[in-house]
Amino acid sequence: MIKKIVLNIVLLLTTYVVPLYLLYTFQDSAIRIGKIQIPALLVLFFGSVLLTYLTNKHRKQAVKHKWLWIIFEIIGVVGVCYSGFILSLLFLLRHCCGF
């Protein structure tokens, strides 16, 4: 069970923290943010989908620490909603407003 928790934490760090850090550091330069925002948000989206799927599978099997799996699942759903909303705005308005 510890391996599954560590896997979720590593997945959380690599697919949440790194893309959000890259977006934060490149926000001052419009040229660099234009190149990195879509790949970073796609990594965030697919990472959160994977985190939600794995957490749901492990939560059903776990007897102890159900609260930990519920927290991971909430983080995954928030990531899907956040990145999905931003990506949909980027793709819907890409020819309209100069995004």
Side-chain angles (χ1 to χ4, degrees):
M1 186 59 76
I2 297 295
K3 290 181 183 179
K4 294 176 184 178
I5 294 172
V6 170
L7 174 71
N8 275 353
I9 291 173
V10 168
L11 187 64
L12 185 73
L13 289 176
T14 57
T15 62
Y16 275 72
V17 176
V18 173
L20 290 176
Y21 178 74
L22 286 174
L23 289 173
Y24 176 74
T25 57
F26 291 136
Q27 73 182 355
D28 294 334
S29 173
I31 295 171
R32 288 192 286 175
I33 194 75
K35 293 178 182 177
I36 195 121
Q37 71 184 355
I38 291 179
L41 287 170
L42 284 174
V43 167
L44 181 67
F45 181 76
F46 288 120
S48 59
V49 167
L50 182 64
L51 181 70
T52 304
Y53 171 73
L54 289 176
T55 302
N56 189 29
K57 187 172 78 169
H58 297 316
R59 182 179 54 92
K60 290 179 180 177
Q61 296 172 354
V63 176
K64 293 193 288 186
H65 306 296
K66 275 200 172 222
W67 59 270
L68 183 65
W69 297 113
I70 291 172
I71 290 173
F72 279 134
E73 193 163 356
I74 289 171
I75 291 172
V77 169
V78 167
V80 167
C81 293
Y82 172 76
S83 60
F85 177 71
I86 300 296
L87 281 171
S88 67
L89 281 178
L90 286 174
F91 286 128
L92 288 173
L93 301 174
R94 67 179 166 211
H95 298 297
C96 168
C97 304
F99 286 130

